Amino acid sequence: MKVTLVCAATICGRISPVGYGSSLDRRRLEGIRDKTQASIMGANTLRTENPEMRGTKGVLNPERIRSVITGSGVIPVTGKKLFTHGPEPVVFTGEDKFSALEAKLEGRGRVVALPVGPHGLSLAGALDFFAARNVQSVLIEGGARLNYAALAQDVVDEIMLTVMPYVSGDHESNTLAEGPQCLGLPFLKLELLSCEPLATGEVFLHYRLKRTE
């Protein structure tokens, strides 16, 4: 299974607040969704935004699985389009939060319990869920803690990064990946597959994770 992490960040690595990407960046994200069979989004992204994970031209593919992962079990439901538009979403959570989330969703999403893994819930367990449904490509749509967990658990194959022409400098804003320690010794190594500068000042970068031999 191929797992791609997609993100847009300022040149200082900040991913919040969102909404500063251009229409070209939006179309890039929608195109990546079109080419993948499932998405995983962190619960904090759902709490702060109102995502639907639509593809090109605003289409919600009825065969594509949209999912949210939450360790705390705290997710908003009322007013969130994810639970009212398109196919039923999947909500991954811990075994201890399963019953409460099922009651809260009231049939508006499928709750799936995951074991605890390093740095959060086991993303390998989420990928096993997708594999059992013949999913061969998964998109991780952030935020910072989910990105960190995915990289720390070594489930990411490629990163699609848009560098936006802004500087934040706000130490309280989320970065691309945030966790308790360095990823790698001291870093994870990437191989650049492509680099596309745009007239908007953005740069589309495509990386592959370099696995340790």
Side-chain angles (χ1 to χ4, degrees):
M1 180 183 297
K2 182 178 178 179
V3 179
T4 302
L5 189 156
V6 66
C7 193
T10 64
I11 66 169
C12 54
R14 304 294 175 178
I15 63 172
S16 61
V18 299
Y20 285 90
S22 70
S23 59
L24 293 178
D25 176 58
R26 170 57 57 180
R27 288 202 293 271
R28 185 195 198 204
L29 171 59
E30 292 171 346
I32 298 170
R33 287 174 179 153
D34 288 345
K35 295 175 182 177
T36 53
Q37 296 170 281
S39 279
I40 308 177
M41 179 177 288
N44 192 56
T45 303
L46 181 63
R47 286 191 286 266
T48 57
E49 306 299 326
N50 201 352
E52 297 178 81
M53 306 186 210
R54 291 182 179 269
T56 302
K57 297 182 180 179
V59 172
L60 281 173
N61 182 350
E63 303 300 321
R64 192 171 188 275
I65 302 175
R66 303 173 300 160
S67 69
V68 179
I69 187 166
T70 171
S72 68
V74 178
I75 60 169
V77 177
T78 303
K80 294 300 180 179
K81 297 176 183 179
L82 182 69
F83 299 106
T84 58
H85 296 70
E88 176 186 80
V90 172
V91 179
F92 294 113
T93 193
E95 295 176 358
D96 58 332
K97 302 296 190 301
F98 178 86
S99 297
L101 260 181
E102 267 206 329
K104 181 176 183 178
L105 290 181
E106 297 179 326
R108 287 171 285 188
R110 175 173 181 174
V111 183
V112 176
L114 296 178
V116 175
H119 309 296
L121 297 175
S122 171
L123 290 169
L127 298 182
D128 287 343
F129 172 88
F130 291 136
R133 286 149 185 82
N134 298 316
V135 170
Q136 298 180 5
S137 54
V138 175
L139 183 63
I140 294 177
E141 300 195 26
R145 285 178 292 179
L146 173 57
N147 291 344
Y148 180 91
L151 292 166
Q153 294 180 38
D154 195 27
V155 300
V156 177
D157 298 300
E158 296 183 356
I159 296 175
M160 306 286 283
L161 172 65
T162 298
V163 177
M164 301 181 294
Y166 303 108
V167 178
S168 167
D170 180 2
H171 72 282
E172 294 185 354
S173 294
N174 289 330
T175 60
L176 190 152
E178 294 188 2
Q181 59 193 33
C182 290
L183 292 166
L185 297 170
F187 307 121
L188 292 180
K189 295 181 179 180
L190 307 176
E191 176 187 356
L192 181 64
L193 300 180
S194 66
C195 174
E196 181 185 358
L198 305 177
T200 59
E202 295 164 312
V203 181
F204 289 168
L205 298 170
H206 183 188
Y207 290 101
R208 178 189 295 133
L209 270 290
K210 294 183 70 173
R211 296 294 195 272
T212 302
E213 298 295 337

